[in-house]
Amino acid sequence: MFVVIEGIEGSGKSTLLSGLGEWLRGRGQEPLLTFEPGGTPAARAIREIFLNRSIAIGPLTEAFLVNAARAEHVADEIRPALEARRTVVCDRFTDSTLAYQGYGRGVDLGVLRTLCETATGGLAPDLVFVVDVPVAVALSRVRTRAEAPDRIEAEGTDFHERVRRGFLELARTPRHRVLDGTLAPEPLLEEAIRELHERTSARVR
Ligand code: Z5A
């Protein structure tokens, strides 16, 4: 099963990812826990350029970079894990491109869908959790970090509001499940586990 966690930065995706990983391991599984942009050495190198604010790039280049990283990640990590029947849980995937480069930066959604489709070879998640939190809450969680803001973190509130709206619009499909990211980590994890459990049981019925 291929599970993706989406949401604006600071929504609690990474925290939920590790909670789900622990739960899956507790059930005797060996999940692949991964993230985008990243997951392979080449994808991590592309991530460095993508997030580095001192290298000026335009929105379309952002879209090409995240999809170049994704092509490597899917081919070398995600597909082999799924073929080995491992559960894959990924922090961000194609909806992030549509939300950030599309709703956030204004790149045409049709162009982005084609790029994503090409990079993934048509691989789509079975379940997408969208951890939804108000932008002010999310930013207050992450803006205490010591590191200088990266290319995306440096954007203003309006940008992050557009991205949040994008995620919620994209979430109107049966494949998506919106979670209330203002919940504390434990109840949020329980909600996600309940949903995952239901979907897994439905698949084996
Ligand atoms: N990007 C893109 O533009 N296009 C794409 O196609 C893709 C990505 C794939 C990668 O950033 C950037 O790439 C991202 C979008 C862009 N930039 N932004 N914005 P990243 O990988 O460096 O980081 P991130 O994905 O944005 O996530 P994050 O900042 O690490 O946040 P998070 O994973 O959602 O949250 P967290 O680390 O789990 O928690 C943040 C803090 O909140 C931490 O102190 C926690 O202890 C706390 N927390 C977590 N959960 C809770 C709850 N439930 N309640 C209260 N506090 C909580």
Side-chain angles (χ1 to χ4, degrees), residues 134-150:
V135 170
V137 173
L139 296 187
S140 72
R141 289 180 187 168
V142 293
R143 294 235 156 129
T144 52
R145 287 175 181 163
E147 312 93 72
D150 63 37

Side-chain angles (χ1 to χ4, degrees), residues 1-4 17 20-21 24-25 29-35 38-40 73-74 76-91:
M1 187 170 197
F2 182 20
V3 180
V4 166
L17 178 106
L20 285 175
L24 288 163
R25 281 191 290 266
Q29 294 196 35
E30 284 179 39
L32 171 68
L33 306 181
T34 187
F35 63 97
T40 73
H73 189 206
V74 168
D76 290 358
E77 290 284 330
I78 297 179
R79 272 196 197 278
L82 292 172
E83 279 162 15
R85 308 191 72 75
R86 293 171 68 194
T87 298
V88 175
V89 188
C90 188
D91 185 341

Side-chain angles (χ1 to χ4, degrees), residues 4-87:
V4 166
I5 307 175
E6 296 279 13
I8 58 174
E9 67 156 335
S11 53
K13 296 174 288 80
S14 316
T15 306
L16 179 60
L17 178 106
S18 52
L20 285 175
E22 225 173 277
W23 179 74
L24 288 163
R25 281 191 290 266
R27 291 166 64 89
Q29 294 196 35
E30 284 179 39
L32 171 68
L33 306 181
T34 187
F35 63 97
E36 290 208 337
T40 73
R44 278 194 291 274
I46 295 168
R47 175 191 173 93
E48 295 299 314
I49 302 169
F50 172 71
L51 290 177
N52 187 340
R53 282 170 74 198
S54 59
I55 304 171
I57 56 172
L60 195 55
T61 305
E62 283 187 11
F64 280 119
L65 286 175
V66 287
N67 276 295
R70 181 167 296 135
E72 294 297 316
H73 189 206
V74 168
D76 290 358
E77 290 284 330
I78 297 179
R79 272 196 197 278
L82 292 172
E83 279 162 15
R85 308 191 72 75
R86 293 171 68 194
T87 298

Side-chain angles (χ1 to χ4, degrees), residues 104-167:
R105 298 282 197 223
V107 179
D108 180 80
L109 289 178
V111 169
L112 293 176
R113 285 188 202 280
T114 304
L115 273 179
C116 291
E117 173 87 14
T118 307
T120 60
L123 178 71
D126 300 295
L127 169 61
V128 182
F129 288 118
V130 179
V131 186
D132 181 54
V133 281
V135 170
V137 173
L139 296 187
S140 72
R141 289 180 187 168
V142 293
R143 294 235 156 129
T144 52
R145 287 175 181 163
E147 312 93 72
D150 63 37
R151 188 188 305 283
I152 306 287
E153 286 167 353
E155 288 296 332
T157 305
D158 286 1
F159 174 84
H160 293 288
E161 292 286 2
R162 289 198 298 280
V163 173
R164 180 188 182 201
R165 184 171 55 79
F167 277 125

